[in-house]
Amino acid sequence: MTWARKVLSIDRRIIFLLVAAGVALPLLRPVNLPITVTPRVQAAFDAIDALPAGSKVLLSMDYEPDIMAELFPMSVAVLRHCFRKHLQVIAMTLYPAGTGLGERALRTAAKAEGAVLNKDYAWLGYKSGFQVVMIGIGENLRGMYPVDFYGTPLDSIPVTRGVNAYRQMAMVINLSGSSATDYWIQFAQGRFHAPLVVGCTAVMATDYYPYLSSKQILGLVGGMKGAAEYERLIDTVGDARRGMDAQSLVHLIVALLVILGNVALFVARRAGEDLGGRPAGSMTR
Amino acid sequence: MLRSEAVDQTLDTRWFDPARLNILIGVLLFTAFLVVNIFRARAKSDLYVRPIAGLKALDEAIGRATEMGRSVLYVPGLSDMSEVGTFAAITILYRLAQRIAEMGCDLDVPCYDPVVMTVLDGAVRDAYSKVGRPDAFRPGCVHYVSAQQMAYVAAVNGTMLRDRPAANVYMGSFYAESLLLAETGATTGAIQIAGTDKVTQLPFFVCACDYTLLGEELFAASAYLGREPVQLATVIAQDWAKAVAAIAVTAALLLASLGHPTLASWLRAA
Amino acid sequence: MIETWIAAFLTLCVFSFLYRENPFYRFAEHLFVGSAAGYLLAVQWHNVLIPNVWTPLTRGGDLVVLIPLALGLMMLARIWSKGAGIARWSIAFYVGVYSGVAIPGYMQAQIFAQLADAAKPWPPGAAGVNAALVFIGLITVLAYFFFSLPHRGIHGVGARIGIYFLMVAFGASFGYTVMARVSLLISRVQFLLRDWLHLLPS
Amino acid sequence: MRRGPLLVTFLSGAAVAALFFIPHHQAQAVNNKLLEWTLVVYAFALILGSMSLWNSHARKLNARAEGWPFSLVTLVSLVGITALGIWKGVGEGSPVGRIYNTVNSPLASTMFALLAFVIASAAFRAFRARSVEATLLLITAIVMMIGRVSIGPLISPHLPGVTEWLLDVPNLAAKRAIAVGVGLGAVSTALKIILGIERSYLGRS
């Protein structure tokens, strides 16, 4: 058996160990590699930065704890930016398990920037039904949320007084890990023409480039990397930036594994070995 | 309902939004394509739709499951009835269940969305009745697992490893679970056939499954499997719409470049 | 404190799946399925059934809510196999509404808006070349997904180019997906190392 | 027999589609009502689903099938959390909220984290440059993985620019075509349903 054959038949658990080490070591011994800001994150930052102080911004944090790794640091960074610019944030979530996270993100950012509940931001909490809520806010926010998360009527909250639909808001920001983003594009932006900025998980990010080009969305923050870039733009260090060394190392490992797998296959084929097993992975099949 | 005094009370009283005329025309034109092609299909039954690799494999998979005395696992995607992929999943399962009923192997359909479960249960029952084997239907073969994504994956992964179905079929809208399911399935040695309109997940299905239907092929497959004229007609209507879209874009682009942006801005207005 | 330990235990139960299927994983799996279903039910109770049915009915005497309530109860008729016919009415309504929402939604945001953007005149210079490539990509990928003609002749060439564009897009998605999954793992490891074992500064 | 439900689908679907073009506030209020009703239907469907879950595990338990104690875990947690949640609420700070944070949330995030391992092993095992197409996919993926993170510019200063171009040009083109195609597919399916051509969701025969 050649080395190539041996490499190809390696136990997958060895690869698992490699990945685990690739994540753990940089967390324990960080080297703080530099982070460059990409144009789409910059665009998101600029769009928010350009809003005049006092503008109302609707922020929907549509995610649950399972993917908070990517979206929670992003929420905190975006909120801190909003508070610094003295924008008035109306925050909500479309996931029941998102209420705890949303509240925590608001508190963290408010504490860091000295923002005050109801004066600088309102927390509306959860309401079920994606399309239902988005279309509802186009017409009557109070129909969806008569009171905020804490039971206060919206008219008693300075931030929401006089705001009842997208047309009274300067921007909608959606941070999501699901098809909620598609619906925000279809309804808040398409149907009601609200300017929209999107933050999403990295998986989804590539799908939204057509909407950036058509200006249906003004900026895109993708995944933990995007969040790290945003943290850099507002000059803070959060969990996203702390994770970036590990991110780099594991990417390198995966890329090398792909290359190694292919080289080994090539060599084994050259040596005329029968590789047996289940063939996998060509597009034509 | 509570309404604030301070809020802008200018309520809209128009009965038509003229800015949306283009969308209305688009919808009507497409409806016309659909109707015309249905009549065409009824008139002559040999409309061409290109064959889709992977569909034949479904029969193969059922055959193998029957031989081995094991079941076929059908995962209908993790979405609800507002997603097209789910409808394709329903139609495909309806066909597949007929074959399965004929061949007499076991079928297992774990569901993510309770409404989809209800619908699939009806479809599978009907499929068994249609081929004259209502008695072979096993109540509970279509069952709800969880509307929480990862709980669903955990359970289905467990099922795959314990029950070792001979074939795993994934059809519909898939998200992060695609690779976890397909990889686990691959380790059990089952034949795996996937199809999804969620393009992000395609690389993973392609890499872990034996056959994969790419994107829209999923919709076409549900038409192709039935070979019903009406279903084929919709595939062709979609093709017409694509052709019109391509022509419209090209024309709008040319005209705009020559200084006549009317068509381009007509497309834009919403 | 105890909660962190439970969370850490369950985290390890799931990670043990990487070694192989085992009773710990199986326990975690079954617990997860049950508690997720229970949680969702309770959420629906508090966020839908109470505010959208019970409160309007008992407080406001809003009899219109009897309609969705009836539709919902008809759904439950499915429990008996004879009730399938009754449940069908609720499904019909549900599916009808979402189909109705989908038609203009997709037409507007995914078709017209995208076509309008594709019809923008090309700027001069490198940006123009890119715009031209995007245009070619759009047309050729559409050609690949054209089912009623065989992939031959000019259409075949177009579809061929289209699939190359598709592959690059899939590659980009793949790269980004790796990024996403690694981020999630980083966060889990941060939890284990920081919140549980206190090996990292908090 | 199915004519009634088909009519319901037609009426509700056509009404909601038409309401998109009618900005009148009363029309929009009707629109919102119809949408709200679907939430109630879904809630009941979820009850039905949970009964299905109950049945399938209760069956295993009664039959003392292999692994029945695990089914008991599911049944107990299902009933326990439902009851506790209805009784004490599900918000942050409620008992169920705490259980969610200690049980569901680590379980869900760890399931997601498994993906990082699985993706690495799948990449090694199955990502093969077998054809021109597969090679293109591979190369793009590798460039993307390296070029989008901090080590990218250290390896080559041009990498971030290349990734940006890949995303902005070929990726955009393909995703746009897919958006249009899937959009048409969605519209066509929805139309077929409203017009009563697609009936699979009602069961056929």
Side-chain angles (χ1 to χ4, degrees):
Chain A
M1 196 190 264
T2 60
W3 68 270
R5 189 80 188 90
K6 269 185 207 148
V7 165
L8 286 174
S9 53
I10 196 175
D11 191 323
R12 53 195 228 132
R13 285 169 281 204
I14 293 175
I15 295 173
F16 296 163
L17 279 176
L18 213 57
V19 172
V23 171
L25 291 181
L27 286 175
L28 293 164
R29 292 268 175 280
V31 290
N32 299 319
L33 290 167
I35 291 160
T36 42
V37 177
T38 55
R40 300 314 189 172
V41 178
Q42 185 72 49
F45 176 87
D46 291 344
I48 296 172
D49 209 61
L51 295 175
S55 305
K56 314 274 185 191
V57 172
L58 182 73
L59 173 71
S60 195
M61 293 178 268
D62 305 328
Y63 57 89
E64 298 197 328
D66 47 7
I67 47 169
M68 66 178 281
E70 295 184 88
L71 294 166
F72 185 79
M74 197 188 288
S75 306
V76 174
V78 169
L79 275 167
R80 287 186 66 168
H81 186 206
C82 290
F83 291 151
R84 252 182 230 178
K85 296 292 296 179
H86 301 288
L87 305 176
Q88 300 208 306
V89 180
I90 302 165
M92 55 176 272
T93 174
L94 295 171
Y95 281 93
T99 46
L101 293 172
E103 202 181 11
R104 209 196 309 164
L106 284 163
R107 285 220 181 111
T108 314
K111 198 173 151 216
E113 303 294 334
V116 180
L117 177 67
N118 293 350
K119 188 172 145 287
D120 301 302
Y121 67 95
W123 174 227
L124 303 184
Y126 163 73
K127 179 84 193 171
S128 72
F130 287 4
Q131 295 102 316
V132 184
V133 178
M134 293 173 200
I135 295 176
I137 299 177
E139 199 57 32
N140 179 16
L141 173 65
R142 280 156 181 76
M144 293 296 115
Y145 289 102
V147 295
D148 77 350
F149 183 68
Y150 310 100
T152 318
L154 295 200
D155 290 326
S156 314
I157 300 172
V159 174
T160 45
R161 203 173 289 150
V163 181
N164 205 30
Y166 296 119
R167 57 180 176 276
Q168 288 118 7
M169 300 169 192
M171 182 178 281
V172 174
I173 305 173
N174 166 239
L175 306 181
S176 151
S178 72
S179 51
T181 305
D182 297 316
Y183 297 124
W184 282 108
I185 294 174
Q186 277 187 21
F187 301 115
Q189 203 289 320
R191 195 159 181 167
F192 297 104
H193 310 299
L196 181 65
V197 165
V198 166
C200 60
T201 56
V203 184
M204 299 158 64
T206 58
D207 293 351
Y208 293 100
Y209 274 70
Y211 303 100
L212 283 163
S213 166
S214 61
K215 305 276 186 296
Q216 285 168 283
I217 57 180
L218 302 174
L220 180 68
V221 188
M224 200 188 225
K225 172 66 180 10
E229 292 172 32
Y230 214 100
E231 284 176 0
R232 214 201 97 179
L233 282 169
I234 59 162
D235 209 17
T236 59
V237 178
D239 269 355
R241 273 177 99 169
R242 284 187 204 109
M244 280 304 108
D245 284 351
Q247 188 92 47
S248 278
L249 185 56
V250 181
H251 282 210
L252 198 61
I253 291 173
V254 175
L256 291 176
L257 281 172
V258 173
I259 295 169
L260 179 69
N262 278 286
V263 170
L265 186 74
F266 183 76
V267 172
R269 281 259 175 76
R270 267 284 175 85
E273 289 195 28
D274 172 29
L275 294 165
R278 191 181 61 90
S282 112
M283 295 308 302
T284 44
R285 308 180 66 236
Chain B
M1 214 164 272
L2 287 164
R3 263 186 189 273
S4 153
E5 290 305 317
V7 164
D8 176 17
Q9 284 285 17
T10 51
L11 294 173
D12 208 321
T13 51
R14 291 172 303 156
W15 289 100
F16 181 70
D17 185 351
R20 287 176 177 171
L21 185 63
N22 54 358
I23 312 284
L24 183 60
I25 291 176
V27 173
L28 293 178
L29 189 65
F30 191 56
T31 314
F33 286 173
L34 206 58
V35 173
V36 167
N37 275 299
I38 287 170
F39 280 113
R40 272 183 72 212
R42 286 197 177 138
K44 59 175 209 153
S45 56
D46 56 341
L47 292 181
Y48 177 83
V49 169
R50 90 169 138 84
I52 298 160
L55 286 185
K56 265 204 337 223
L58 282 174
D59 262 350
E60 222 175 275
I62 297 171
R64 196 170 107 159
T66 316
E67 267 168 39
M68 295 168 76
R70 296 220 213 119
S71 61
V72 173
L73 178 76
Y74 187 90
V75 183
L78 276 79
S79 198
D80 56 19
M81 299 297 292
S82 63
E83 192 81 60
V84 228
T86 307
F87 283 93
I90 296 166
T91 319
I92 294 173
L93 177 60
Y94 180 67
R95 300 286 161 204
L96 194 70
Q98 291 178 21
R99 288 292 295 151
I100 287 175
E102 282 165 359
M103 303 284 286
C105 68
D106 193 24
L107 172 69
D108 185 29
V109 188
C111 298
Y112 166 83
D113 183 276
V115 183
V116 176
M117 174 204 78
T118 320
V119 172
L120 287 177
D121 186 64
V124 173
R125 276 171 207 268
D126 279 2
Y128 275 73
S129 310
K130 190 169 182 205
V131 296
R133 311 255 345 246
D135 49 303
F137 176 81
R138 176 172 65 84
C141 74
V142 180
H143 57 102
Y144 170 78
V145 173
S146 177
Q148 200 172 36
Q149 184 183 23
M150 285 301 148
Y152 179 87
V153 177
V156 176
N157 272 354
T159 309
M160 280 186 208
L161 290 172
R162 289 188 291 268
D163 300 351
R164 306 222 159 226
N168 302 328
V169 183
Y170 313 93
M171 294 285 165
S173 296
F174 286 87
Y175 305 90
E177 64 285 348
S178 64
L179 183 63
L180 274 176
L181 293 173
E183 266 292 297
T184 308
T187 60
T188 66
I191 290 191
Q192 302 209 98
I193 303 161
T196 185
D197 54 334
K198 297 294 169 202
V199 184
T200 320
Q201 303 304 332
L202 280 173
F204 306 110
F205 276 143
V206 166
C207 115
C209 294
D210 300 286
Y211 296 91
T212 306
L213 310 183
L214 304 180
E216 279 180 70
E217 286 180 348
L218 175 70
F219 308 147
S222 63
Y224 196 81
L225 268 181
R227 298 254 20 139
E228 279 173 24
V230 170
Q231 297 288 347
L232 291 179
T234 61
V235 174
I236 294 167
Q238 267 161 262
D239 277 358
W240 285 20
K242 270 173 236 162
V244 168
I247 293 166
V249 167
T250 314
L253 177 67
L254 283 174
L255 286 172
S257 307
L258 296 172
H260 304 286
T262 327
L263 182 57
S265 56
W266 184 81
L267 283 175
R268 187 173 308 273
Chain C
M1 186 56 204
I2 178 78
E3 285 166 359
T4 307
W5 278 83
I6 295 173
F9 170 72
L10 292 172
T11 301
L12 295 177
C13 282
V14 174
F15 275 141
S16 73
F17 181 73
L18 289 171
Y19 185 69
R20 63 156 171 224
E21 213 263 343
N22 64 72
F24 288 103
Y25 173 80
R26 212 161 162 188
F27 166 77
E29 166 204 327
H30 282 83
L31 177 66
F32 194 10
V33 168
S35 76
Y39 176 75
L40 288 171
L41 260 187
V43 164
Q44 291 295 321
W45 174 268
H46 290 287
N47 285 293
V48 177
L49 295 179
I50 295 291
N52 289 4
V53 180
W54 182 250
T55 311
L57 203 57
T58 52
R59 295 255 176 83
D62 182 0
L63 294 179
V64 181
V65 298
L66 289 176
I67 302 173
L69 179 63
L71 287 171
L73 289 171
M74 283 157 80
M75 196 78 179
L76 286 184
R78 182 90 230 185
I79 300 166
W80 304 279
S81 50
K82 292 218 174 85
I86 301 172
R88 215 168 263 151
W89 291 81
S90 324
I91 295 172
F93 169 75
Y94 188 91
V95 169
V97 168
Y98 281 102
S99 302
V101 173
I103 293 174
Y106 281 100
M107 247 327 165
Q108 184 182 38
Q110 280 193 213
I111 301 172
F112 273 82
Q114 287 305 317
L115 294 180
D117 192 56
K120 271 191 312 207
W122 302 341
V129 176
N130 284 341
L133 282 172
V134 169
F135 185 80
I136 293 167
L138 170 68
I139 301 291
T140 53
V141 177
L142 281 178
Y144 174 80
F145 286 122
F146 207 87
F147 293 99
S148 51
L149 283 178
H151 284 173
R152 278 201 298 266
I154 179 102
H155 177 235
V157 174
R160 197 85 222 130
I161 299 173
I163 196 136
Y164 293 149
F165 273 92
L166 273 176
M167 288 303 127
V168 174
F170 290 173
S173 291
F174 178 85
Y176 260 79
T177 306
V178 171
M179 183 192 280
R181 305 315 178 211
V182 172
S183 299
L184 298 170
L185 176 61
I186 290 172
S187 157
R188 270 301 75 195
V189 175
Q190 275 176 335
F191 164 77
L192 288 176
L193 294 182
R194 183 172 58 197
D195 302 351
W196 184 45
L197 299 173
H198 305 290
L199 289 174
L200 297 178
S202 44
Chain D
M1 168 77 188
R2 294 201 177 139
R3 208 159 276 168
L6 281 175
L7 189 66
V8 169
T9 304
F10 173 75
L11 289 177
S12 55
V16 173
L19 286 166
F20 173 82
F21 301 99
I22 308 174
H24 195 286
H25 64 98
Q26 282 167 349
Q28 290 306 310
V30 171
N31 192 30
N32 293 348
K33 265 280 161 287
L34 288 173
L35 284 165
E36 260 179 64
W37 291 355
T38 62
L39 296 183
V40 178
V41 175
Y42 179 84
F44 279 93
L46 199 70
I47 297 176
L48 187 67
S50 305
M51 289 162 115
S52 149
L53 182 68
W54 173 272
N55 287 339
S56 70
H57 284 278
R59 223 173 278 142
K60 277 187 202 156
L61 187 67
N62 287 335
R64 291 288 183 272
E66 190 263 323
W68 65 268
F70 293 107
S71 288
L72 190 64
V73 172
T74 300
L75 292 175
V76 169
S77 53
L78 170 66
V79 175
I81 305 250
T82 308
L84 196 61
I86 286 176
W87 179 36
K88 292 270 190 184
V90 289
E92 201 68 5
S94 68
V96 169
R98 289 182 66 185
I99 292 174
Y100 188 91
N101 286 334
T102 18
V103 175
N104 292 41
S105 123
L107 283 172
S109 8
T110 314
M111 285 301 297
F112 259 106
L114 283 185
L115 275 164
F117 296 104
V118 173
I119 226 170
S121 113
F124 174 73
R125 271 191 329 99
F127 261 51
R128 299 284 188 247
R130 284 171 197 280
S131 58
V132 185
E133 292 96 324
T135 313
L136 265 176
L137 195 159
L138 270 179
I139 293 174
T140 315
I142 291 176
V143 169
M144 220 36 113
M145 274 188 274
I146 303 294
R148 295 305 277 185
V149 289
S150 310
I151 40 160
L154 300 179
I155 291 173
S156 157
H158 303 296
L159 264 180
V162 173
T163 60
E164 206 59 43
W165 182 86
L166 286 170
L167 286 168
D168 269 330
V169 180
N171 170 64
L172 190 155
K175 295 288 164 73
R176 171 169 283 162
I178 287 164
V180 172
V182 169
L184 285 171
V187 174
S188 131
T189 307
L191 273 174
K192 280 193 286 177
I193 289 165
I194 291 178
L195 299 176
I197 299 166
E198 166 74 65
R199 302 171 182 195
S200 58
Y201 65 99
L202 294 177
R204 274 186 258 205
S205 72

